[in-house]
Amino acid sequence: MSFDINNAGPGVSDFILLKDLSEDGLLENMKKRWEDGFIYTYIGNVIVSVNPYKPVNLYSKDIIEIYRTNDTRDLPPHIYSLADVTLRTMKYESQDQCIIISGESGSGKTEASKLIMEYIATIAGKNSRQITVEHVKDQLLNSNPVLEAFGNAKTVRNDNSSRFGKYMDLQFDSNGNPSGGKINTYLLEKSRVVTQQQNERNFHIFYQLLNGAEPELREHLQLKESAKYYKYLNETADDVDDANINKDSLNNIINTMNSIGISEKDQLSLLEGIAAILHLGNINFELVESGTTTPGSKITNMEEVEMAAELLGIDSNALATALISRSINDYAGRSKKAIIVPLDVEKAEFSRDALAKALYSYLFDFLIQKVNDQINSESDDNQKCVIGVLDIYGFEIFEKNSFEQLIINTCNEKLHQHFINYTLISEREEYKRAGYTWDTNFYFSNQLERSKEMFQLIESKDKGIFALLDEECLMPVPSTTSFLNKLDHYHINHKYYDSCKKTRSRRVNKTRSKSFSNGTRQRRSIKAPMLVANNTHESEVITHEVFWLKHYAGEVDYSIDDFVEKNNDTLHSDLVLLYNLLKRKLSEI
């Protein structure tokens, strides 16, 4: 499809003009427009976009110029229109603005944020310090490939799924000209570093490093070429070597880091950290029977410890000791005495994985800080207004939903509540301006009440799901069974909560979205086997370590077999000392 200024597409270009406001009517209008290549539709001052899953000729400097020089109300719906209205409102009203991009995984949120930034950076002029549009645009937009390399991964729904939330401030001076930006990140899915769901992958940077490292760099990092040699990469897919990542991808990332001013030393430190994580994951342990009641463990491949320690700049013996034991201070008597407690294989593996996740999280934060150092202008006294762009995880429903999905979906509940509040207030103001009396809108009222009850269930400080999980993690021997029993005890009668104990006989119908190579979307229904009286299923056994939440976007079953482990993601004191040493070494670069 090519862009036509005089063609707003089939159906209605603004849903508020639709006569049939039922769900079927909305979907039919959206489908009709999408099939003709019109992926954007307004809802008043909100814009709905549908991922075309194919290249479209809707984005160019010429089209940007059309939206810059014309009244956007006379033009077809477009993401550029939203960006233009936001920028003009900021300039004319001298008020900060915010754009919230929300949608399910794979719906195109990250691409939408790029297009918004590209439009704003392109149409704004030079500022008082003669920082050109191209410079600001390069600094803001060139950071995206680097952030995607370290923060995106392949999932079952999206080959380039953002596994972190991003809020970017686009900063402007008192004349309304761009002066820089600042990136804040949220909810990095660091558990992905050590484990992924079936047919998913780790973060892109691991594969890019293995596929694209030059011989000299590979030798320095002591890496092999294939992902099949690394535990953190080879346990969830048959074809672990991603053919879609070519050997030039790492060079492209390095060139991009050069272009935004990240030094070669910083770049090497980041890659050394990534390689060290791969070596950490390959450290193996075996059980050692001791004379005490507490079994210990030993490392069977010290060469991996030595390679990781060398890359991190720490002592290999100190690292090995911290992985297989922990020290407890005994304050009995007149002096403090350290007691060494051996760790069994399971606890040693937990320590290894916890260190790997903490290290990756710090490397990601380190990267964000380096990017912000190059683009941030907050210290500029002339900096006046900002446009915030929020790009965060979409609502997620997978075959197996875990702790990450609960956090992500809770965030989307928050966004949904914000949208309802915003819409409600806007409607009230519209009624007042028109001189009409506002009667309570039952849909909005019900939605707000639903959100209030849902957040009480999840976030209540004493008996909410998160509070009960924290409480369980403080137990001497925390367990998922005990956690689920607590949930059932306090929330068994909550209308948005369900569990096997609450419903002994149920059939769960899940609806999933499946993407096809031709860009179409097909709905498929998956029926879970019925739970019968003897606690078995007709065709397969499904663990009872599951609870259901009835979110605004649908019912989600959460498997809690690793909730405690993921929430109790802490380093014992000896690893904390090593971790702080690593942070100091990086901060000194």
Side-chain angles (χ1 to χ4, degrees):
M1 172 197 169
S2 59
F3 181 78
D4 184 353
I5 189 174
N6 297 313
N7 186 2
V12 298
S13 60
D14 192 327
F15 279 119
I16 63 175
L17 302 176
L18 198 64
K19 293 181 179 179
D20 180 9
L21 289 176
S22 66
E23 181 177 350
D24 289 341
L26 293 171
L27 291 175
E28 180 62 29
N29 185 69
M30 198 181 307
K31 178 183 177 184
K32 187 185 301 182
R33 293 178 59 78
W34 180 81
E35 288 176 341
D36 275 16
F38 292 86
I39 64 174
Y40 296 113
T41 310
Y42 290 126
I43 308 179
N45 58 357
V46 176
I47 192 163
V48 177
S49 67
V50 183
N51 195 332
Y53 289 97
K54 61 182 179 181
V56 290
N57 298 319
L58 295 177
Y59 316 107
S60 67
K61 290 185 177 180
D62 290 338
I63 297 176
I64 287 176
E65 187 64 16
I66 290 173
Y67 279 85
R68 186 187 74 83
T69 56
N70 291 274
D71 189 334
T72 57
R73 291 173 295 183
D74 298 329
L75 298 173
H78 201 291
I79 193 72
Y80 290 162
S81 174
L82 178 66
D84 187 82
V85 170
T86 303
L87 182 60
R88 293 181 187 277
T89 303
M90 182 208 70
K91 285 184 175 181
Y92 297 148
E93 298 183 4
S94 297
Q95 289 185 342
D96 294 344
Q97 303 293 310
C98 182
I99 299 173
I100 296 177
I101 305 172
S102 180
E104 69 173 12
S105 179
S107 60
K109 298 182 298 299
T110 299
E111 292 303 315
S113 69
K114 293 178 188 176
L115 292 168
I116 289 170
M117 289 189 290
E118 182 178 24
Y119 183 89
I120 292 174
T122 300
I123 71 170
K126 296 181 179 181
N127 68 13
S128 58
R129 295 179 300 167
Q130 298 300 303
I131 297 179
T132 65
V133 170
E134 287 302 317
H135 174 75
V136 174
K137 176 182 174 181
D138 289 344
Q139 292 294 310
L140 295 177
L141 298 184
N142 284 353
S143 64
N144 279 312
V146 180
L147 297 182
E148 288 183 4
F150 283 82
N152 287 26
K154 178 183 177 182
T155 68
V156 293
R157 301 278 294 278
N158 184 355
D159 286 351
N160 189 35
S161 177
S162 298
R163 307 317 298 165
F164 69 104
K166 179 174 66 176
Y167 180 80
M168 174 172 280
D169 274 338
L170 306 178
Q171 300 162 347
F172 298 83
D173 63 20
S174 56
N175 296 318
N177 299 315
S179 60
K182 182 181 179 182
I183 299 170
N184 293 289
T185 59
Y186 308 91
L187 300 175
L188 175 69
E189 190 186 24
K190 58 183 180 180
S191 63
R192 181 171 293 271
V193 173
V194 301
T195 183
Q196 308 92 42
Q197 293 194 37
Q198 194 64 31
N199 296 319
E200 295 195 352
R201 296 190 185 277
N202 213 316
F203 292 101
H204 294 326
I205 187 62
F206 290 104
Y207 308 96
Q208 291 168 336
L209 179 58
L210 292 176
N211 287 359
E214 297 294 338
E216 183 179 353
L217 177 61
R218 187 181 302 279
E219 182 179 358
H220 172 69
L221 301 178
Q222 303 179 70
L223 291 176
K224 299 177 181 179
E225 290 191 19
S226 175
K228 68 182 180 182
Y229 296 111
Y230 298 97
K231 178 182 182 297
Y232 287 160
L233 307 180
N234 66 10
E235 295 193 332
T236 61
D238 294 330
D239 181 18
V240 295
D241 293 314
D242 196 336
N244 294 320
I245 297 179
N246 60 51
K247 292 186 178 296
D248 293 330
S249 58
L250 181 64
N251 285 333
N252 293 336
I253 296 301
I254 291 174
N255 291 336
T256 300
M257 287 194 284
N258 287 331
S259 71
I260 59 177
I262 298 178
S263 70
E264 291 184 2
K265 285 186 177 180
D266 288 338
Q267 294 175 33
L268 182 59
S269 295
L270 287 166
L271 297 181
E272 287 175 338
I274 296 300
I277 289 171
L278 292 177
H279 291 304
L280 280 174
N282 279 3
I283 297 173
N284 296 320
F285 306 91
E286 70 176 24
L287 183 66
V288 173
E289 295 292 346
S290 61
T292 65
T293 56
T294 304
S297 61
K298 69 176 182 179
I299 296 171
T300 61
N301 52 347
M302 272 298 295
E303 66 276 8
E304 295 287 355
V305 178
E306 291 167 355
M307 286 187 283
E310 181 181 347
L311 291 169
L312 296 174
I314 58 177
D315 181 71
S316 60
N317 291 325
L319 175 58
T321 301
L323 291 175
I324 61 175
S325 64
R326 63 187 180 97
S327 58
I328 300 176
N329 291 324
D330 182 6
Y331 292 93
R334 295 183 177 180
S335 61
K336 181 177 71 173
K337 182 174 66 174
I339 299 175
I340 305 301
V341 179
L343 302 178
D344 60 24
V345 172
E346 182 180 357
K347 291 178 180 177
E349 290 176 344
F350 177 86
S351 295
R352 175 200 64 197
D353 293 346
L355 180 60
K357 288 184 286 186
L359 177 57
Y360 192 85
S361 180
Y362 181 75
L363 290 174
F364 188 75
D365 291 341
F366 178 77
L367 172 65
I368 297 298
Q369 182 59 52
K370 292 301 177 181
V371 172
N372 281 336
D373 287 345
Q374 301 301 319
I375 66 176
N376 190 14
S377 67
E378 277 190 342
S379 59
D380 186 353
D381 293 336
N382 200 33
Q383 191 254 316
K384 186 175 182 181
C385 291
V386 299
I387 293 177
V389 180
L390 177 64
D391 171 17
I392 201 165
Y393 297 98
F395 194 88
E396 293 187 345
I397 309 178
F398 295 141
E399 295 295 334
K400 179 181 179 181
N401 303 289
S402 189
F403 184 60
E404 296 84 5
Q405 279 67 53
L406 177 60
I407 295 176
I408 290 167
N409 292 343
T410 300
C411 288
N412 278 273
E413 286 275 4
K414 292 278 188 182
L415 287 177
H416 179 68
Q417 182 191 46
H418 174 81
F419 180 77
I420 292 296
N421 271 318
Y422 169 79
T423 305
L424 181 62
I425 292 172
S426 298
E427 285 294 309
R428 283 177 175 172
E429 293 302 317
E430 187 73 21
Y431 269 67
K432 287 181 180 178
R433 286 194 294 269
Y436 292 106
T437 302
W438 172 265
D439 292 326
T440 300
N441 185 300
F442 290 105
Y443 171 77
F444 288 132
S445 298
N446 289 340
Q447 287 295 307
L448 291 174
E449 184 62 28
R450 193 208 67 82
S451 295
K452 180 180 178 181
E453 293 182 25
M454 177 61 78
F455 292 135
Q456 184 179 20
L457 168 64
I458 297 174
E459 297 183 323
S460 175
K461 292 184 178 180
D462 52 353
K463 304 304 178 187
I465 292 175
F466 289 144
L468 292 175
L469 180 58
D470 288 340
E471 178 183 294
E472 184 61 35
C473 289
L474 295 175
M475 295 293 104
V477 184
S479 74
T480 54
T481 301
S482 173
F483 170 54
L484 186 58
N485 287 337
K486 290 178 180 178
L487 292 181
D488 286 339
H489 176 74
Y490 289 107
H491 303 301
I492 196 72
N493 295 318
H494 199 288
K495 62 182 178 181
Y496 298 124
Y497 173 85
D498 203 353
S499 72
C500 292
K501 182 176 180 180
K502 181 176 179 180
T503 308
R504 285 294 179 182
S505 181
R506 60 178 290 140
R507 182 177 296 273
V508 182
N509 293 300
K510 303 177 187 176
T511 303
R512 300 285 188 261
S513 293
K514 184 177 181 181
S515 300
F516 293 88
S517 58
N518 63 1
T520 61
R521 303 281 282 183
Q522 177 175 309
R523 307 299 293 182
R524 60 188 178 95
S525 179
I526 301 175
K527 293 186 177 180
M530 182 180 292
L531 182 66
V532 293
N534 63 356
N535 293 335
T536 61
H537 294 77
E538 293 174 351
S539 60
E540 62 178 308
V541 176
I542 294 182
T543 176
H544 282 199
E545 305 299 298
V546 173
F547 68 90
W548 289 263
L549 291 183
K550 299 172 184 177
H551 291 284
Y552 75 93
E555 186 175 282
V556 181
D557 56 294
Y558 293 101
S559 176
I560 65 170
D561 53 0
D562 52 6
F563 264 46
V564 171
E565 176 184 334
K566 290 179 177 178
N567 189 59
N568 196 22
D569 190 18
T570 56
L571 302 173
H572 63 72
S573 58
D574 297 30
L575 285 176
V576 168
L577 292 175
L578 284 177
Y579 176 64
N580 288 334
L581 177 62
L582 293 174
K583 290 171 64 175
R584 285 197 297 272
K585 286 182 178 295
L586 279 174
S587 63
E588 291 170 359
I589 295 175

